[in-house]
Amino acid sequence: MKELFSTIRVRRQATRRTAMAMKYQKGTVYLRGRKVKMWYGRYTTYLRNEEGKEVGKRRNVPLCPKANTPKWKAEQMLHALILKETGVPAKDSSAVATESVTFRWFVEERYLPMRQGSWSPAYRKINTYEIHHYLIGQFGRVPLEKMGTFEIQVWLNNLAAKFSHSVVHHCYTNMRSILHMAKKQKFLAEDIGEDVTMPQTKPVEKPLMTQEQILALVASIQDLHDLCLMCIGIFCGPRSSEVLGLQWKSWTGTTLVPYGTVFEGEFYPGRFKTRASQAPIGVPEAVRPVIEAWRRACPDPSPEALMFSTFGRGRRKGQTVPHLGKNFLRCRIRPIARRLGIPDHLVTFQVMRRTMGTDLQHYGTLKDAQGALRHASIKTTGDVYMQSIEASVLDAMNARTKEILSAWKPALLPNGNEMKEGTEGSSRRDGSSRGAEQLSQLGPSSEGRVLVSA
């Protein structure tokens, strides 16, 4: 009897020591609990004993509470657990019959894992939500082989009658990309999304701020921090992620050089929307004294410090963190705008950027607007890439800014001094030698500046 127990013990130890066998499985998700419902996962681990025979052991593990967690998300958690413990993916195309593959399974197990690595945090959040909400919400349970071009096109046409162009276009491009990948990975015999076309959508309203509204808003801001941030947003045209991520080393005296972007209060150094977004942001002469005044008043003007920061909350309590763009506008700027009769939907960084791009067409060329907004291309000129002339870009920005601010006497600068144009090298478009100068990216240039009189 002792020899028998000894043999069993040795076999068990040998079984634990051997490597797991390769088994593809997806496991099962189920609910347990009376007062508090929990998602549990059931799967099998496979071991080999000393004789080389596979021995399966069933495991039941808690995953997460049922509240606010759909079943598909619990299944994802189980698949990740299976991969971590067994080293084998929960599902594999060689182990899953093609006819049993649903649209949801392919998107969650193949498309998103392969594509998300190249997406920025902002794009990942928005695009993943839209894929789950619109695409999987409509076709999630449909077997991939049962989907057809007709059904997809009708669905897109119905979306176009209800939603904006951006939503419909995202659904259109995502669906075509998913089906193209399914064809390349042999889940589909042909690319059924190839013949899907983009339907016509409702025209999208693109509001702009008037010059009177801009001047009234800027003249009513009493906080120097807020004034500086809004002047950069209105007259320099950066994206919200760029302006909120500016550091003091970005300020050269004539330009603002971005070193990273901000998303949901987190700073991501070296990450930009496009390559053209890394170009310096031109600063009109009338805005430079405002930036200098804020630099002198800023509690931390060190090179690595953020130009515009706030205090952290929760896990980041006590830290200096970037602003949340929506919170800053809602709490600091929109109350002022409401008193002036300016609608909330006009007080966004996107509207400020669009307004600047539209206005610059009256003060410079379309290429000047492209250089100021740092776009990679212009569709209206046939996507022809051209190096913009920085001096003419700044001339256009200066002309627009000076016309709007001609009646503004800022009270926040030292001693309430009024800004007025310097006598040397004033902004002009007269074809003089200054028109050929390049805007300095390293520090204050020798071109005309706006001076603060004593």
Side-chain angles (χ1 to χ4, degrees):
M1 184 63 70
K2 291 182 179 180
E3 293 178 357
L4 176 62
F5 282 118
S6 177
T7 301
I8 294 174
R9 188 180 300 108
V10 170
R11 287 184 177 179
R12 286 179 177 175
Q13 293 174 352
T15 300
R16 294 190 187 99
R17 286 195 298 267
T18 53
M20 295 182 180
M22 296 289 287
K23 288 286 185 179
Y24 295 101
Q25 57 179 315
K26 64 178 182 179
T28 304
V29 172
Y30 61 96
L31 285 172
R32 282 182 59 181
R34 293 184 178 180
K35 292 184 178 180
V36 179
K37 293 286 187 180
M38 292 281 295
W39 287 114
Y40 277 73
R42 181 187 297 116
Y43 64 100
T44 304
T45 56
Y46 292 90
L47 306 173
R48 293 186 183 276
N49 58 20
E50 60 183 5
E51 298 175 355
K53 184 178 180 180
E54 291 184 356
V55 179
K57 182 179 180 181
R58 186 63 61 86
R59 295 200 61 186
N60 294 272
V61 293
L63 297 174
C64 61
K66 180 181 181 296
N68 301 322
T69 306
K71 186 176 181 179
W72 62 265
K73 195 167 185 179
E75 290 174 344
Q76 283 187 339
M77 297 173 67
L78 178 60
H79 298 164
L81 182 62
I82 293 173
L83 176 61
K84 180 179 179 181
E85 185 157 335
T86 66
V88 181
K91 303 177 183 178
D92 186 83
S93 57
S94 62
V96 179
T98 306
E99 60 272 10
S100 66
V101 173
T102 63
F103 182 79
R104 177 195 291 274
W105 180 90
F106 181 79
V107 172
E108 295 176 348
E109 300 297 328
R110 290 293 181 270
Y111 182 76
L112 291 178
M114 291 185 66
R115 288 285 187 264
Q116 283 182 331
S118 61
W119 295 347
S120 66
Y123 186 74
R124 183 186 301 119
K125 179 180 179 181
I126 295 172
N127 206 42
T128 303
Y129 168 79
E130 289 184 345
I131 289 174
H132 278 98
H133 184 73
Y134 296 107
L135 277 65
I136 293 180
Q138 176 70 22
F139 298 103
R141 298 183 180 181
V142 180
L144 206 56
E145 284 193 336
K146 300 295 183 182
M147 295 181 64
T149 304
F150 174 78
E151 291 79 8
I152 297 171
Q153 188 66 64
V154 171
W155 167 70
L156 276 175
N157 294 344
N158 292 334
L159 279 183
K162 303 176 182 178
F163 297 97
S164 66
H165 173 83
S166 62
V167 171
V168 179
H169 190 262
H170 289 170
C171 292
Y172 165 74
T173 54
N174 281 323
M175 180 62 77
R176 284 171 58 93
S177 179
I178 290 169
L179 296 176
H180 181 69
M181 181 183 287
K183 166 64 170 58
K184 292 186 69 174
Q185 294 192 3
K186 312 300 183 184
F187 284 91
L188 289 174
E190 60 180 5
D191 187 355
I192 59 177
E194 186 177 5
D195 295 329
V196 175
T197 59
M198 176 66 187
Q200 291 188 359
T201 57
K202 298 184 295 184
V204 180
E205 182 183 0
K206 296 182 178 180
L208 303 173
M209 294 182 72
T210 65
Q211 293 190 3
E212 293 76 13
Q213 290 172 331
I214 294 174
L215 180 59
L217 182 61
V218 171
S220 301
I221 298 176
Q222 300 299 316
D223 186 272
L224 188 55
H225 165 280
D226 299 349
L227 176 64
C228 184
L229 178 51
M230 291 301 294
C231 282
I232 293 175
I234 293 173
F235 299 111
C236 302
R239 301 174 180 89
S240 62
S241 60
E242 296 167 349
V243 66
L244 297 175
L246 291 174
Q247 300 167 279
W248 279 115
K249 66 180 180 181
S250 303
W251 173 232
T252 68
T254 57
T255 62
L256 290 165
V257 181
Y259 289 95
T261 54
V262 167
F263 175 66
E264 292 191 342
E266 293 283 350
F267 179 69
Y268 294 90
R271 180 172 289 173
F272 304 93
K273 184 175 182 179
T274 64
R275 182 174 297 179
S277 302
Q278 304 178 36
I281 303 169
V283 179
E285 296 170 355
V287 177
R288 297 174 193 174
V290 181
I291 299 177
E292 286 294 339
W294 169 235
R295 184 177 63 83
R296 291 191 292 269
C298 181
D300 183 8
S302 59
E304 297 296 328
L306 292 168
M307 290 179 64
F308 311 105
S309 61
T310 185
F311 56 89
R313 297 176 177 83
R315 62 180 177 83
R316 300 191 297 174
K317 187 175 182 179
Q319 301 179 21
T320 300
V321 299
H323 280 286
L324 286 171
K326 292 181 179 179
N327 288 354
F328 169 76
L329 294 174
R330 184 181 69 249
C331 300
R332 305 284 297 177
I333 305 302
R334 285 177 181 163
I336 300 174
R338 292 190 193 107
R339 292 196 297 268
L340 300 171
I342 303 175
D344 285 356
H345 71 275
L346 294 182
V347 187
T348 68
F349 287 106
Q350 179 62 32
V351 170
M352 299 175 203
R353 183 173 168 84
R354 184 188 303 124
T355 301
M356 176 178 166
T358 303
D359 289 350
L360 284 179
Q361 298 181 42
H362 305 294
Y363 299 94
T365 67
L366 197 58
K367 291 302 297 182
D368 293 336
Q370 179 197 6
L373 298 175
R374 294 164 297 116
H375 286 150
S377 64
I378 303 179
K379 289 186 177 180
T380 54
T381 56
D383 290 333
V384 178
Y385 292 87
M386 184 183 300
Q387 182 65 37
S388 61
I389 302 174
E390 288 84 352
S392 63
V393 170
L394 193 59
D395 284 346
M397 296 171 68
N398 279 330
R400 178 208 178 225
T401 303
K402 288 177 181 177
E403 181 172 326
I404 295 177
L405 297 181
S406 58
W408 179 43
K409 297 181 179 180
L412 295 178
L413 299 185
N415 302 323
N417 292 324
E418 179 182 354
M419 294 185 298
K420 56 184 179 181
E421 186 178 347
T423 58
E424 297 181 3
S426 60
S427 177
R428 60 188 182 274
R429 296 181 62 93
D430 55 3
S432 63
S433 60
R434 180 173 165 269
E437 294 178 1
Q438 298 296 314
L439 185 63
S440 172
Q441 301 178 13
L442 303 177
S445 66
S446 59
E447 60 176 310
R449 304 181 183 88
V450 172
L451 304 178
V452 180
S453 59

